[in-house]
Amino acid sequence: MSMRVEHEIHQRRKGRNWGVGLLLVAFVALIFGLTVVKTLSLGNIVELERFDHVARPQLVPQEEAPAQ
C-alpha cells in the first residue's frame, strides 16, 4: 500500500476546475433559459415554423377558387 499525498498545486487545480465547471453550467443554463423564453413568447407555433427561412407551401394561406 502506498500512501498518496496530494500536493498543494492539485488542490489549486481542483478549485479552478470547479470554477470553470460552474461557469460552464451557468452558461448552458443561460442559453437554455433564453431559448425557453423566446419560444414561449411566440405564443403560436406557426410563428416558430415560419422563422426557418425556407419556403413551406403548407404555411401559405390557400386562396379559394372562384365559383363558376
Side-chain angles (χ1 to χ4, degrees):
M1 287 190 269
S2 66
M3 292 180 54
R4 189 165 181 186
V5 178
E6 213 175 78
H7 197 269
E8 181 252 338
I9 197 163
H10 293 117
Q11 290 179 351
R12 277 199 234 161
R13 284 182 185 167
K14 190 182 297 184
R16 279 191 223 136
N17 287 342
W18 275 102
V20 170
L22 288 175
L23 283 174
L24 181 61
V25 168
F27 180 71
V28 169
L30 176 69
I31 298 300
F32 179 73
L34 288 172
T35 303
V36 168
V37 168
K38 184 174 174 115
T39 304
L40 291 177
S41 69
L42 290 174
N44 189 358
I45 192 66
V46 174
E47 296 298 321
L48 181 63
E49 289 179 354
R50 287 185 183 173
F51 192 67
D52 58 2
H53 304 290
V54 177
R56 299 196 43 200
Q58 66 267 25
L59 297 178
V60 177
Q62 298 294 324
E63 296 181 16
E64 293 184 22
Q68 293 180 353

